[in-house]
Amino acid sequence: MSFFDDTRLDDPAALEAADHLLRRLAMAGARVRAELEASEEALSKLESDGFRPRAVVAAGRDARLVRAVLEPVCPVPFLAWPGPGLPGWAGPLDLVVVLGGAAEDTEAVSAAAEAVRRGCGLMVAAPEDSPVAIASAGLRHAIRLPSQSDDQLAAAVAVLQALHQMELGPEVDHKAVAALLDDVAIQCSPNNDVASNPAKELALVLADALPLVWGGSVLAARAARRVVEALRLASGRPALAADAGHLLPVLNQPPRDLFADPFDKPEELRPALIILDDGVDEAGVAEQRQKLESKAEAHDVRVHIIRQAEGTDVARYAALTQQGRYAAAYLGIGLGRYGMATVDDPVGSGNPSEDPAW
């Protein structure tokens, strides 16, 4: 097991070695702005003419994020389809939304090609020369949002903006999303030391712990899954994002031995409960949270809360996810896993194969 060295978090050499990872995180807000700017022409032509599709089917990267935002308010049935292909009933009366990256994504390509074959309405968010864009080229009237990066969130924001203009989803306010991502980048900057950096603080909490990440709302739960993906890549350790019913049994831990030698059995890591609080004030969410916190306190499990209650739904989701990804980057730096050319990118490469939620 790798040992966590907290001095690396403020060591200029260690941070410089991981600059490419931290810089990518810092530019998240800029990527959202670039995505919407590139899609401006396509979005300007979009408006609701009173016609609504029978149903909306989303496929490809972060289709479940689109579902989490749309499902509560979408006036027509909505389905996030993991692929391949499309559900058997999808046809010309339905709208298919495909989010694809620059890399090969068999399921997304299959969904786009099938939408063309069946004559479905089609919206594609993908780089112009990507496999998904090429597969959708046969449909003349498809809505094409040209992605400028391989950033899943930025592409999803552009799609959500398009669906809002078609009166199928809520207002997104991409400027608010980008602004909150900028705020997170400032707060979690490597130039801020451990005492004033919430991401480095969380990395210290997780230095000798197995993360259990919980979000009470639909979007916070989705953010929890994204954070866990980054933590697994950063640490090489197990990490779990789940609902309260699945996490409560894991909190049944034996009492901590205050006199145990921490170097005697270093592989025995205790869980730490990370709560993603997006400000959703619902009775069911509050009840589940109270159960988790009470159980954690009773079994001497550390609890750490990441709170983001300001902004739109998507902006809060983005900020929570980004704080978790920054913490994952610092965890990887502290464990000595990042800063070398051979390690994986803790913020995600955009490859759907890295997403265990599918």
Side-chain angles (χ1 to χ4, degrees):
M1 183 187 77
S2 301
F3 288 96
F4 186 90
D5 182 357
D6 61 341
T7 64
R8 293 192 184 110
L9 301 187
D10 291 328
D11 176 37
L15 295 172
E16 179 64 26
D19 179 71
H20 63 295
L21 305 177
L22 297 171
R23 189 178 298 273
R24 175 173 168 80
L25 286 167
M27 295 180 67
R31 288 194 296 274
V32 170
R33 294 186 186 91
E35 196 79 8
L36 270 295
E37 183 177 342
S39 301
E40 187 173 347
E41 182 179 353
L43 292 172
S44 67
K45 299 175 182 178
L46 275 182
E47 60 181 19
S48 174
D49 56 5
F51 170 78
R52 283 180 176 170
R54 179 181 60 178
V56 178
V57 181
R61 312 176 318 156
D62 252 352
R64 292 186 179 184
L65 169 60
V66 177
R67 181 185 69 182
V69 176
L70 254 70
E71 208 166 36
V73 296
C74 188
V76 301
F78 185 95
L79 174 68
W81 182 254
L86 292 173
W89 48 261
L93 297 180
D94 305 305
L95 174 64
V96 176
V97 179
V98 182
L99 297 90
E104 181 71 36
D105 182 346
T106 305
E107 285 77 15
V109 170
S110 174
E114 190 67 10
V116 171
R117 189 183 73 83
R118 300 189 195 182
C120 301
L122 180 61
M123 179 188 298
V124 171
E128 291 185 3
D129 296 329
S130 67
V132 168
I134 294 171
S136 65
L139 198 58
R140 178 178 300 178
H141 300 294
I143 302 166
R144 307 183 194 282
L145 306 176
S147 294
Q148 298 303 291
S149 70
D150 224 23
D151 189 314
Q152 298 183 40
L153 175 61
V157 171
V159 165
L160 289 168
Q161 176 63 36
L163 292 171
H164 167 66
Q165 292 181 206
M166 297 171 69
E167 297 185 359
L168 294 171
E171 185 175 0
V172 179
D173 191 356
H174 76 276
K175 294 181 180 178
V177 176
L180 263 184
L181 288 171
D182 289 344
D183 290 344
V184 173
I186 293 171
Q187 296 166 9
C188 301
S189 167
N191 297 324
N192 297 336
D193 61 22
V194 171
S196 59
N197 190 317
K200 291 182 180 180
E201 179 186 0
L202 178 54
L204 289 175
V205 171
L206 298 176
D208 58 353
L210 297 176
L212 306 178
V213 187
W214 177 80
S217 71
V218 174
L219 277 173
R222 186 67 190 156
R225 285 169 170 78
R226 287 300 187 205
V227 170
V228 157
E229 293 164 18
L231 291 172
R232 289 172 183 161
L233 286 169
S235 66
R237 300 171 181 170
L240 176 63
D243 59 29
H246 288 92
L247 292 179
L248 285 168
V250 188
L251 294 174
N252 285 325
Q253 296 295 311
R256 189 188 301 271
D257 185 356
L258 298 179
F259 302 100
D261 183 350
F263 297 100
D264 183 28
K265 294 182 178 180
E267 72 279 1
E268 294 184 2
L269 303 177
R270 291 180 65 83
L273 177 63
I274 311 302
I275 293 177
L276 303 186
D277 179 2
D278 63 350
V280 172
D281 187 19
E282 297 178 354
V285 172
E287 180 182 358
Q288 291 181 349
R289 176 169 171 171
Q290 193 276 328
K291 288 181 179 179
L292 286 167
E293 291 182 318
S294 297
K295 190 69 167 289
E297 180 180 1
H299 291 269
D300 195 21
V301 173
R302 183 179 298 184
V303 178
H304 186 89
I305 299 171
I306 304 177
R307 179 172 175 79
Q308 181 60 60
E310 303 298 327
T312 62
D313 289 351
V314 178
R316 298 197 306 273
Y317 161 87
L320 289 174
T321 303
Q322 199 70 353
Q323 288 185 58
R325 285 174 168 166
Y326 261 107
Y330 290 126
L331 179 62
I333 291 169
L335 291 171
R337 288 172 56 85
Y338 292 126
M340 299 179 63
T342 56
V343 297
D344 293 328
D345 181 345
V347 300
S349 67
N351 186 342
S353 66
E354 292 178 358
D355 184 357
W358 279 118

